Amino acid sequence: QVQLVESGGGLVEAGGSLRLSCAASGRTVSTNVMGWFRQAPGKEREFVAGMRWTWNAVSTLYADSVKGRFTISRDNAKNTVYLQMNSLKPEDTAVYYCAAARSLMTTPRDYDYWGQGTQVTVSS
């Protein structure tokens, strides 16, 4: 089992920034992929960004809607993945979830473990 805990959400004005954190614990050696998803009211959960790492390489993937504004990163020592969100827009408002998987995919069903979510609200 892998436990994931998100933090860092909040209320920010349009154009502002937030950094989300996702701390992993448990059998973290069983996964080398972390993804961020978001879900706005009345909408389906959608992929935001993902990262896959091996001993010698890291690959990342972003949704088109956040490319150039969001950055996913990882602190190996802390078993923590971050999502730096810049130039935030009102349409970025959602509950943000981190999730763990074995392959870098963009569909929620491909992820095995999920955090509880953190609310991000961007005011216009």
Side-chain angles (χ1 to χ4, degrees):
Q1 290 283 348
V2 176
Q3 292 79 43
L4 304 173
V5 179
E6 302 100 334
S7 61
L11 173 64
V12 64
E13 292 184 350
S17 299
L18 281 174
R19 189 179 78 158
L20 305 182
S21 301
C22 175
S25 61
R27 288 184 56 82
T28 56
V29 294
S30 65
T31 179
N32 65 335
V33 171
M34 291 291 287
W36 284 97
F37 290 78
R38 66 187 181 187
Q39 188 166 19
K43 295 189 176 181
E44 293 186 353
R45 192 168 297 190
E46 64 173 0
F47 175 80
V48 175
M51 170 181 281
R52 177 182 180 271
W53 61 88
T54 62
W55 68 275
N56 65 343
V58 174
S59 57
T60 58
L61 186 64
Y62 295 93
D64 288 342
S65 59
V66 307
K67 219 172 272 186
R69 300 188 297 124
F70 291 11
T71 303
I72 188 171
S73 62
R74 179 172 178 258
D75 185 326
N76 294 346
K78 296 182 178 179
N79 275 336
T80 298
V81 173
Y82 303 98
L83 184 68
Q84 178 66 44
M85 305 185 295
N86 298 328
S87 302
L88 282 161
K89 306 175 181 179
E91 51 264 43
D92 294 318
T93 295
V95 177
Y96 283 71
Y97 299 89
C98 66
R102 300 180 186 181
S103 299
L104 184 51
M105 308 293 282
T106 61
T107 51
R109 67 175 181 267
D110 292 310
Y111 285 73
D112 302 312
Y113 305 100
W114 291 84
Q116 81 288 353
T118 185
Q119 177 71 46
V120 171
T121 303
V122 184
S123 63
S124 57

